[in-house]
Amino acid sequence: MKMKSDLIQLTGATGKKYWRSLGELADTKDFRNWVHREFPEGASEMLDSASRRTLLKLMGASFGLAGLTACRRPEHHILPMSKGIEGYVPGKAYYYATAFSHAGAVTGLVVETHDGRPTKIEGNPDHPFSLGAANAFAQASVLDLYDPDRSTDVLRDGKKVTWDAWTGAVNDVSAKFGQGEGLRFLSERVTSPSLDAVRTAALQKYPKAKWTEYDPINSDQPLAATQIAFGEPMHAHYDFSKADVVVSLDSDFLGLDTATVLPIKQFSKRRRVANEEDTMNRLYMVESQYSITGAMADHRKRMRTADVPEFASQLLNAVSGLTVVGGDKWLNALAKELNAKKGKSVVIAGPRQDVYTHLVALQLNELLGNVGEMVADEEGVVWRDR
Amino acid sequence: MPAIFPKSSDKYVKMAGAAIGLLVVGGVALYAYASYPTVIETGYQPKQPVPYSHKTHAGNLGMDCYYCHSTVYKAAYAAVPATETCMNCHTKVKTDSPRLEKVRQSYATGQPIPWVQIHKLPDYVYFNHQVHLSAGVSCVSCHGRIDQMVEVKEEKPLNMAWCLDCHRNPAPNLRPAELVTKLDWVPDRDPAEIGREIIAAKHLNPPTNCSGCHR
């Protein structure tokens, strides 16, 4: 009977299996225990009066004994290097320029190091995409270096091996591939020239191999849209500092969806009014969730993500002067303002939107005369990808 | 009812009270004395892993402090030299001395020599060697006659009152900046007068506010 009911449960299970933590996916003993306990270990312990008393006892004892450790001055050591580094001054902060790649966009950074340990990350003022600022992801990336999950050794089948073993293994493996039949490389999006050179060299050595890029945060949809529109995948460079009207179709360009540093600088520049001639820009936002951009918007319309494509085509119709079926006051006002500010607006679609919405956004920019003026940088309309 | 204690026991109660009072006062006084920096810090002389003698090198051989503590005039820290610095000479001099075994070992393996720190300020104090040296405060003012010490010990208390004494009246401790490592320098006239001239020339104004050092 027991087995049967288990089978019924299994046969009833359809669709995708979702999980919320790696522990749940692996279904480890610890995880089952954790679920069973309801409260994590230590949190439920306190409810028990006997163990609380034990805790207080231990605390009292450790406070009492803490004084004893001060009876002797602890010995501190100074550990100079065995062989010095030329020009290096211990205790002085050194700054290194580097770049941080996130979601396929690169931000120039300056990293502060103390005695060889990176401690603080800031934007590189000389980098055009940073101008001295860095976003939360870049700021937090310094913690990656101290991540306890980061491997500190070469591992093979989970066991520590030497660097020589690694070199040997690589030589062994690379000898087997020949022309590279059946060989696949998987990497994050290649934005670094050095990695690009490695890729070129690898594909030259193994002409039949394939290199695949994958990023969980990507810009596949806008690339696909530009592929359809221009015949090749391209990245748009928006210049928000010149835009009087900004329309965001589910794009959190001030928050999480882009390399936010430059958009924030450009956008906020147009929010500052220093003298009588200065005007402020206006931000329209259509989105399904609360985002930073939505919070900044002058006019925010909440809408299901799936309804945004329809809204986009309605907007396109309204801007073109066609009759809009199901359009409302909000839409008409927006279309009117876009038409009044031709060539001075930006329409941007977000990564959760499909190719269709991106195509409509491209068309809107084209129609409003933004391309080449607003949407592009000086070097050309858009730069080629790959 | 007869008294349980005779009248004379009053005397003992009073004496016991006085004894307890004295014990408390004495205990506090002893604690205050023993924990005072001049008592607890001054004279600290730990054993170093290598029996390096400052008297031999800086005193008898006359090596300048800057030769080993080479970053002291350009950084907050007065760095202890790398093993390489010792080996500059000791690849030629006393190459097989047993006292230098650990130095040779460190040079061969790349492992640092664990020198024991003697002059230690708390983490909440900011101290910068560079500014003190360029102002003209000699090493000797804070570290004593290192060039006369076979084994270095802490000579000054390094407590806050002692720092402030000099910050309030720096003139006696100042000398021309090029003479700061001449530990045996004797001024040919009143040192306070020389100090006043230096203060005027360099516009020195040592901070006496809290955030000067506790930043």
Side-chain angles (χ1 to χ4, degrees):
Chain A
M1 278 303 284
K2 176 77 172 62
M3 191 179 263
K4 202 178 168 193
S5 69
D6 277 348
L7 274 176
I8 289 166
Q9 274 188 349
L10 266 182
T11 45
T14 53
K16 287 175 184 165
K17 187 173 183 282
Y18 294 101
W19 41 274
R20 284 164 296 185
S21 71
L22 288 177
E24 188 177 340
L25 179 67
D27 202 18
T28 55
K29 204 178 149 207
D30 280 352
F31 178 74
R32 277 161 175 261
N33 194 18
W34 186 81
V35 172
H36 174 72
R37 285 185 68 101
E38 181 176 6
F39 294 112
E41 218 162 319
S44 55
E45 224 83 329
M46 291 297 280
L47 299 171
D48 190 324
S49 64
S51 69
R52 176 163 53 194
R53 185 170 290 176
T54 317
L55 175 77
L56 287 174
K57 250 192 259 175
L58 284 173
M59 263 170 64
S62 46
F63 273 130
L65 292 173
L68 286 181
T69 55
C71 283
R72 287 275 176 277
R73 175 171 163 168
E75 243 181 37
H76 292 272
H77 293 285
I78 301 176
L79 303 174
M81 275 177 272
S82 168
K83 294 180 183 66
I85 299 169
E86 199 179 336
Y88 166 70
V89 179
K92 218 170 186 175
Y94 285 85
Y95 297 85
Y96 295 93
T98 183
F100 172 70
S101 172
H102 179 249
V106 176
T107 314
L109 301 176
V110 175
V111 180
E112 180 180 347
T113 65
H114 289 268
D115 294 331
R117 286 178 180 80
T119 52
K120 182 77 176 86
I121 283 178
E122 269 308 334
N124 187 345
D126 295 336
H127 193 277
F129 277 14
S130 160
L131 302 173
N135 65 9
F137 295 105
Q139 294 272 359
S141 66
V142 69
L143 298 175
D144 278 353
L145 295 169
Y146 304 100
D147 187 349
D149 286 341
R150 209 180 156 93
S151 181
T152 50
D153 293 291
V154 182
L155 300 178
R156 183 166 200 176
D157 300 330
K159 284 196 194 84
K160 230 165 103 170
V161 290
T162 58
W163 268 107
D164 293 337
W166 159 257
T167 329
V170 167
N171 287 338
D172 287 352
V173 168
S174 64
K176 277 186 209 154
F177 283 125
Q179 287 288 298
E181 292 95 348
L183 176 62
R184 298 286 179 270
F185 294 99
L186 176 66
S187 79
E188 58 179 13
R189 251 200 72 197
V190 180
T191 45
S192 127
S194 322
L195 190 54
D196 191 42
V198 170
R199 172 170 63 182
T200 313
L203 291 179
Q204 259 168 16
K205 192 171 173 192
Y206 306 113
K208 289 186 181 157
K210 266 188 187 155
W211 188 292
T212 310
E213 293 175 2
Y214 173 76
D215 246 327
I217 308 168
N218 57 46
S219 39
D220 289 352
Q221 305 296 348
L223 290 180
T226 45
Q227 170 81 51
I228 294 169
F230 306 116
E232 55 183 342
M234 293 178 183
H235 279 286
H237 280 210
Y238 301 96
D239 189 349
F240 296 100
S241 64
K242 292 181 196 155
D244 286 345
V245 186
V246 179
V247 183
S248 166
L249 301 170
D250 203 12
S251 167
D252 187 14
F253 65 92
L254 298 174
L256 301 171
D257 286 348
T258 49
T260 46
V261 177
L262 193 64
I264 287 175
K265 286 222 163 201
Q266 292 175 338
F267 182 83
S268 57
K269 205 166 122 191
R270 292 298 313 276
R271 287 275 170 179
R272 228 165 273 140
V273 179
N275 54 48
E276 286 170 9
E277 288 93 63
D278 281 354
T279 52
M280 268 171 68
N281 62 7
R282 194 170 293 179
L283 171 60
Y284 290 83
M285 180 75 178
V286 178
E287 63 176 349
S288 61
Q289 58 187 0
Y290 277 115
S291 67
I292 304 252
T293 313
M296 278 302 294
D298 301 294
H299 303 282
R300 178 178 176 276
K301 195 175 180 64
R302 69 197 165 112
M303 186 178 285
R304 283 165 57 206
T305 304
D307 290 343
V308 175
E310 195 194 334
F311 175 85
S313 30
Q314 284 175 343
L315 183 63
L316 182 62
N317 283 348
V319 169
S320 326
L322 301 171
T323 325
V324 180
V325 184
D328 59 4
K329 226 170 117 186
W330 203 90
L331 179 91
N332 291 329
L334 171 56
K336 202 173 149 194
E337 177 149 22
L338 281 176
N339 270 327
K341 305 265 179 164
K342 275 198 175 198
K344 285 184 176 177
S345 60
V346 162
V347 182
I348 178 171
R352 280 169 301 281
Q353 290 301 317
D354 60 7
V355 182
Y356 178 78
T357 316
H358 285 274
L359 274 172
V360 174
L362 275 177
Q363 210 171 343
L364 272 166
N365 280 322
E366 184 78 46
L367 191 69
L368 293 166
N370 297 334
V371 180
E373 267 187 73
M374 302 302 311
V375 181
D377 56 7
E378 289 85 28
E379 278 98 52
V381 178
V382 269
W383 50 272
R384 255 192 86 225
D385 180 62
R386 272 166 278 199
Chain B
M1 205 179 93
I4 300 169
F5 296 104
K7 195 139 183 104
S8 61
S9 61
D10 282 6
K11 191 172 64 183
Y12 297 114
V13 172
K14 279 177 193 158
M15 275 168 73
I20 289 168
L22 269 176
L23 213 66
V24 169
V25 172
V28 169
L30 188 72
Y31 178 80
Y33 169 75
S35 62
Y36 198 68
T38 45
V39 175
I40 208 164
E41 299 282 345
T42 313
Y44 179 57
Q45 191 176 29
K47 200 169 153 35
Q48 298 291 350
V50 177
Y52 171 83
S53 163
H54 276 84
K55 185 170 172 14
T56 309
H57 292 83
N60 302 353
L61 297 174
M63 284 167 66
D64 196 283
C65 308
Y66 286 156
Y67 181 74
C68 299
H69 303 285
S70 58
T71 65
V72 69
Y73 60 93
K74 55 186 175 189
Y77 292 88
V80 170
T83 312
E84 208 174 25
T85 312
C86 311
M87 294 305 276
N88 282 348
C89 296
H90 284 292
T91 45
K92 304 269 191 302
V93 187
K94 289 197 183 278
T95 47
D96 46 5
S97 163
R99 286 153 68 93
L100 287 164
E101 183 52 39
K102 278 197 176 150
V103 177
R104 287 194 296 271
Q105 234 173 45
S106 160
Y107 190 64
T109 60
Q111 292 299 312
I113 304 171
W115 301 104
V116 183
Q117 186 173 17
I118 298 169
H119 301 86
K120 184 175 182 352
L121 294 179
D123 287 344
Y124 48 79
V125 177
Y126 175 79
F127 180 82
N128 191 324
H129 275 93
Q130 181 187 12
V131 289
H132 285 84
L133 289 187
S134 51
V137 181
S138 167
C139 316
V140 76
S141 295
C142 305
H143 297 288
R145 285 298 297 271
I146 293 274
D147 61 333
Q148 298 299 312
M149 295 181 197
V150 176
E151 204 163 13
V152 178
K153 71 172 180 189
E154 188 169 330
E155 220 178 72
K156 310 282 176 179
L158 303 192
N159 61 342
M160 190 172 122
W162 175 81
C163 290
L164 278 175
D165 279 347
C166 185
H167 271 230
R168 286 183 180 133
N169 178 27
N173 283 308
L174 292 177
R175 58 176 74 180
E178 63 275 12
L179 294 171
V180 289
T181 58
K182 293 262 169 292
L183 303 190
D184 53 359
W185 180 70
V186 184
D188 48 1
R189 54 203 169 100
D190 183 17
E193 194 187 315
I194 301 172
R196 276 194 295 277
E197 282 164 21
I198 292 171
I199 290 170
K202 293 186 178 172
H203 308 291
L204 297 182
N205 187 17
T208 49
N209 56 332
C210 309
S211 60
C213 310
H214 306 291
R215 21 173 94 179

